[in-house]
């Protein structure tokens, strides 16, 4: 089914590229291809992983502009921190400028739905990236299966401690659906294993500094800790820095999430040997493509699944890879 969905989306994009300005203007049933589009992109917060998403969205906009003879720009507006009120304010301001589309990773999609609905009522296309669309919302969301990603990470972590021991969990932004899905997968897995004891849970709010601070606290409070599980891109960077600071690399197991440059550096330094990575480049590219398709009156799938990548030390030995 996932392959069918992605194939459909690709076919729709090809169809859009084939329209061209002259052909689009010749049909009353086909929306006219405009000379320019401005899409607003709003992440959870300003952070390295979202920089990859943004850069990919902008690159996709540039390619499509050249292909179609139009000018697509990405207006990137990142909150300083993961704060629902600040993000909703940015969303309201974006709507007021009447953009041609908005892509948003919602901190709390249910809490933001009234504002998202306002944008839809004004005819502004909306897509969610990373966030899962509420059932019945008819919104397209672009992501991988985050529960599955959390399960894979948890299973790899358990292999490294022989399925027994004391584990702490570094949660992210609890209201964000991706972080919540990974956290649920981890707790479901650990609950099934009688030899695993979850001794602590902290929240990093997808912020590297907070993750390092909380990981340092957990390590100091649990000298016999066997592993730390993470659920967001900032978590493994902060945990790795804390482990190195406490001189406990190799003593406390962990597996990464995502592929930000700081994580790749830690992998080269031998702090961790695996990361179960989301595919931020594809998420950014498809955010632009999806908004353009909706502007052209082409329906898009409810879920565009970008899949899961596995990052290992051999892949980054010669330097950072440019995301998946």
């Amino acid at each position: 089914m996932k392959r069918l969905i992605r194939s459909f989306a690709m076919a729709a994009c090809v169809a859009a590229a084939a329209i061209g300005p002259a052909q689009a203007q010749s049909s009353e049933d086909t929306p006219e291809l405009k000379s320019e589009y401005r899409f607003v992109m709003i992440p959870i917060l300003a952070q390295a992983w979202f920089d990859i998403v943004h850069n990919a969205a902008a690159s996709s906009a540039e390619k499509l502009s050249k292909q179609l003879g139009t000018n697509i720009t990405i207006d990137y507006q990142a909150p300083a921190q993961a704060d629902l009120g600040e993000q909703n304010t940015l969303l309201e301001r974006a709507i007021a400028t009447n953009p041609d589309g908005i892509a948003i990773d919602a901190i709390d999609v249910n809490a933001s739905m009234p504002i998202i609905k306002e944008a839809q009522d004004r005819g502004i296309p909306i897509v969610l990236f990373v966030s899962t669309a509420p059932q019945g919302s008819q919104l397209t969301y672009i992501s991988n299966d985050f529960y599955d990603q959390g399960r894979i990470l948890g299973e790899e972590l358990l292999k490294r401690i022989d399925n027994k021991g004391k584990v702490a969990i570094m949660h992210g932004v609890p209201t964000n659906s991706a972080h919540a899905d990974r956290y649920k997968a981890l707790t479901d897995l650990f609950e099934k294993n009688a030899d695993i004891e979850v001794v602590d849970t902290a929240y990093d709010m997808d912020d590297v500094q907070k993750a390092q601070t909380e990981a340092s606290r957990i390590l100091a409070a649990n000298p016999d800790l066997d592993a730390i599980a993470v659920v967001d891109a900032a978590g493994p960077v902060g945990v790795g820095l804390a482990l190195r600071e406490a001189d406990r690399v190799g003593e406390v197991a962990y597996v990464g999430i995502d592929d930000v440059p700081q994580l790749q550096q830690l992998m080269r330094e031998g702090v961790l040997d695996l990361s179960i990575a989301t595919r931020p480049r594809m998420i950014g590219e498809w955010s632009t493509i999806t908004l353009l398709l909706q502007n052209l009156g082409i329906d898009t799938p409810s879920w565009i699944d970008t899949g899961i990548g596995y990052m290992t030390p051999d892949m980054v030995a010669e330097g950072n890879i440019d995301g998946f």
Side-chain angles (χ1 to χ4, degrees):
M1 178 60 74
K2 294 177 181 176
R3 288 183 178 179
L4 285 174
I5 290 173
R6 292 185 60 184
S7 296
F8 171 80
M10 181 63 74
C13 182
V14 171
I19 289 174
Q23 188 175 347
Q25 292 174 14
S26 66
S27 171
E28 293 181 357
D29 297 328
T30 303
E32 179 179 350
L33 185 66
K34 302 196 304 183
S35 59
E36 60 182 359
Y37 295 88
R38 181 176 63 89
F39 300 148
V40 176
M41 173 168 265
I42 304 175
I44 291 177
L45 77 168
Q47 191 239 62
W49 187 86
F50 292 107
D51 290 342
I52 301 173
V53 177
H54 169 222
N55 291 338
S59 176
S60 178
E62 183 178 355
K63 292 175 183 175
L64 288 170
S65 295
K66 291 179 179 177
Q67 178 70 29
L68 300 176
T70 183
N71 181 33
I72 305 168
T73 58
I74 305 299
D75 183 357
Y76 187 61
Q77 301 185 19
Q81 58 187 347
D83 180 84
L84 177 62
E86 185 178 355
Q87 188 182 53
N88 280 342
T89 297
L90 287 175
L91 180 57
E92 289 172 333
R93 288 176 179 171
I95 293 169
T97 64
N98 195 31
D100 297 295
I102 299 174
I104 181 170
D105 179 8
I107 292 172
D108 185 337
V109 68
N110 291 308
S112 298
M113 273 308 292
I115 306 174
I116 292 173
K117 183 69 167 50
E118 177 187 341
Q120 290 179 305
D121 290 344
R122 294 191 181 195
I124 301 172
I126 298 279
V127 300
L128 301 176
F129 64 96
V130 182
S131 310
T132 302
Q135 195 166 20
S137 67
Q138 306 300 317
L139 288 169
T140 290
Y141 66 99
I142 305 159
S143 72
N144 61 289
D145 185 332
F146 293 112
Y147 186 93
D148 201 36
Q149 187 181 14
R151 177 191 58 77
I152 294 169
L153 182 145
E155 291 175 347
E156 290 290 343
L157 191 67
L158 292 183
K159 288 180 187 176
R160 285 158 173 74
I161 58 174
D162 295 327
N163 297 300
K164 60 183 177 183
K166 295 183 177 180
V167 177
I169 302 177
M170 185 67 68
H171 204 326
V173 179
T175 54
N176 179 257
S177 57
H179 301 177
D181 286 351
R182 292 173 184 144
Y183 178 77
K184 180 69 164 55
L186 288 169
T187 54
D188 286 350
L189 183 65
F190 296 156
E191 285 175 4
K192 293 176 183 175
N193 195 323
D195 293 325
I196 292 295
E197 179 185 4
V198 178
V199 297
D200 205 340
T201 298
Y203 297 87
D204 63 33
M205 304 303 287
D206 212 0
D207 181 282
V208 170
Q209 184 59 55
K210 290 179 180 175
Q212 182 177 1
T213 299
E214 287 299 315
S216 295
R217 179 190 63 75
I218 290 171
L219 291 170
N222 298 276
D224 56 348
L225 189 70
D226 295 293
I228 300 179
V230 296
V231 307
D232 59 39
V237 177
V239 169
L241 294 174
L243 285 172
R244 193 170 59 188
E245 185 178 57
D247 196 22
R248 294 176 70 176
V249 173
E251 176 187 329
V252 178
Y254 86 116
V255 173
I257 283 275
D258 289 331
D259 55 350
V260 297
Q262 301 98 314
L263 181 64
Q264 297 186 41
Q265 178 61 31
L266 289 170
M267 186 168 278
R268 276 193 295 279
E269 295 172 358
V271 178
L272 76 167
D273 63 2
L274 177 66
S275 188
I276 312 302
T278 306
R279 310 192 70 178
R281 290 197 59 78
M282 193 177 292
I283 288 174
E285 290 165 353
W286 278 94
S287 294
T288 302
I289 293 168
T290 304
L291 286 175
L292 182 61
L293 290 174
Q294 293 185 6
N295 269 272
L296 296 173
I298 298 172
D299 290 336
T300 54
S302 59
W303 180 29
I304 298 175
D305 181 5
T306 54
I308 296 170
Y310 291 67
M311 192 174 73
T312 53
D314 60 303
M315 297 169 63
V316 300
E318 303 300 324
N320 285 348
I321 60 174
D322 188 22
F324 285 93

